[in-house]
Amino acid sequence: MNILFCSVGRRCELLKDFRKTLGDKVRLIVTDNSPYAPALEFADVSYQVPLIHDKAYIPMILDICKKEEIHAITTLIDPEIAILAEHRKEFEAFGVTVLAPYEKTAKLCFDKYEMYRYLTEKGINTVKTFGCFADFKKAYDNKEITFPVFVKPRTGSGSVGARKVDTLEMLEELTAQDETLIIQELMTGEDMDADIYVDTVSHKPVAIFSKKKISTTIGGANKTISFKDEKLFTFVQNALTVFEFNGPLDMDLFYQDGNYYLSEINPRFGGAYLHAYGAGVDFPLFIYHNVKEKRENQPCIGAYDKDVVMMMYDSVVIKKQKEIQSNMVSL
């Protein structure tokens, strides 16, 4: 199976997991805008490409798919997900499975306020959200929400710009400075997430791995502990019925007052997917079954041990500059 990872960045361990599961049954082809992305060193073939919004970007990715006989493509950054979804038919014309959601779902996942409106319309518990200061002020005056609250960019990722706000004056100042901020109820319950695989043949979730966050940094959780709850599995499966996903995704959740609340969905490999893999939830194998063998995976929801802890740490790649440059393939 030839799989293309776009915008591979620092996701070295993810590539190692694919190699560990599939060995010589997989070729790892990767791209990045920078020749200094460390994960390039763990691939079979690497390409330096333009920024994702460059008009030459998609034509170049399609050329790579053709040249490398790619079977499946995915991305590891949020802004590129909708781009792959928009060009799905072009990739499929080359026989490439796009491991990304369908277009409407992709756009909802990237726009946190539209996601809130959609979930509310569908009757799925979510975090109360306001798209502007005026709407928040009206609800505040009506005693529908109190401080502190939480603000973050409407289309941001990696927790950049997210912060707690304690006063109306500070909130008004922040939203005047940045109109892209949305305002959310501050959730005080348990912070957790789920790694989910939606089968590309059956289009149903076949694996759900849930974990509580012990510690987080900018960009996501770095220490987590696995747990199992049938109520969570049911909530996740119900929420997924109103979307069109295809492959791996990461769902951020809160547990508060006896109920689960969906916060965000990142429809790609989550940064802490490594925990799921380490506990035996093997997405690389699911992808191989779907993409190379053209068969659906059997559901294995909750098929892992609870109380498995992940403790993430950094490592390094050391190379001479001329070695880095010589390893990049040109089209």
Side-chain angles (χ1 to χ4, degrees), residues 17 52 59 77 95 136 203 240 258 271 309 319:
D17 288 348
I52 61 172
I77 61 170
F136 171 83
H203 304 293
L240 291 174
V309 178
K319 289 277 185 177

Side-chain angles (χ1 to χ4, degrees), residues 43-309:
D44 295 298
V45 183
S46 59
Y47 290 86
Q48 186 177 1
V49 295
L51 293 170
I52 61 172
H53 294 295
D54 191 298
K55 64 181 181 181
Y57 181 75
I58 284 296
M60 185 175 288
I61 297 298
L62 288 167
D63 286 344
I64 292 171
C65 287
K66 185 176 180 180
K67 179 181 177 181
E68 299 293 344
E69 299 180 340
I70 297 298
H71 298 107
I73 184 173
T74 193
T75 180
L76 298 171
I77 61 170
D78 294 326
E80 191 173 6
I81 294 166
I83 295 173
L84 294 186
E86 288 166 13
H87 294 274
R88 181 180 300 277
K89 290 183 179 179
E90 293 165 73
F91 288 110
E92 289 178 345
F94 285 112
V96 179
T97 298
V98 179
L99 297 172
Y102 288 82
E103 195 169 350
K104 179 182 176 181
T105 293
K107 289 179 178 178
L108 283 169
C109 290
F110 194 59
D111 187 321
K112 297 177 180 64
Y113 184 61
E114 287 302 319
M115 172 66 91
Y116 161 75
R117 293 178 61 187
Y118 184 72
L119 290 172
T120 302
E121 175 191 321
K122 297 297 182 181
I124 295 169
N125 289 347
T126 188
V127 182
K128 186 179 291 186
T129 302
F130 301 90
C132 64
F133 178 78
D135 288 347
F136 171 83
K137 180 65 163 55
K138 183 178 179 180
Y140 177 72
D141 289 342
N142 290 334
K143 303 187 184 305
E144 297 170 14
I145 190 166
T146 59
F147 284 92
V149 295
F150 200 74
V151 299
K152 57 188 175 184
R154 181 169 175 160
T155 59
S157 62
S159 302
V160 175
R163 58 176 292 184
K164 185 176 78 166
V165 179
D166 293 307
T167 67
L168 188 66
E169 293 75 20
M170 179 58 71
L171 181 64
E172 186 172 18
E173 180 180 337
L174 288 172
T175 52
Q177 292 172 355
D178 185 355
E179 294 183 355
T180 70
L181 291 178
I182 58 172
I183 307 158
Q184 293 189 317
E185 172 188 6
L186 183 69
M187 302 298 283
T188 57
E190 287 188 285
D191 189 3
M192 57 190 63
D193 68 23
D195 296 294
I196 302 156
Y197 187 80
V198 174
D199 195 270
T200 69
V201 177
S202 69
H203 304 293
K204 296 178 181 178
V206 294
I208 301 173
F209 175 82
S210 53
K211 55 191 185 289
K212 297 177 183 178
K213 298 175 184 178
I214 299 171
S215 171
T216 60
T217 58
I218 292 177
N222 61 356
K223 295 182 181 71
T224 52
I225 183 167
S226 64
F227 76 102
K228 294 196 274 191
D229 182 0
E230 289 299 328
K231 186 175 179 179
L232 178 140
F233 298 149
T234 299
F235 177 80
V236 167
Q237 289 173 287
N238 180 57
L240 291 174
T241 62
V242 301
F243 296 103
E244 289 186 294
F245 290 108
N246 207 52
L249 63 111
D250 170 75
M251 184 180 288
D252 289 334
L253 302 146
F254 288 99
Y255 185 70
Q256 187 162 306
D257 300 326
N259 292 303
Y260 286 99
Y261 293 82
L262 199 168
S263 175
E264 297 181 20
I265 301 178
N266 303 303
R268 53 169 171 77
F269 277 100
Y273 163 72
L274 304 173
H275 189 177
Y277 183 84
V281 186
D282 196 339
F283 285 20
L285 186 60
F286 299 154
I287 292 171
Y288 186 83
H289 289 162
N290 281 167
V291 172
K292 188 64 177 174
E293 298 182 346
K294 306 295 183 184
R295 66 182 177 92
E296 65 182 78
N297 292 282
Q298 295 304 306
C300 54
I301 292 168
Y304 58 88
D305 290 335
K306 62 181 182 179
D307 297 328
V308 176
V309 178

Side-chain angles (χ1 to χ4, degrees), residues 13-31:
E13 294 299 321
L14 178 62
L15 299 187
K16 290 181 185 179
D17 288 348
F18 270 80
R19 184 73 70 206
K20 182 178 179 181
T21 288
L22 298 173
D24 60 5
K25 294 193 292 186
V26 68
R27 285 181 71 243
L28 304 173
I29 299 90
V30 302
T31 70

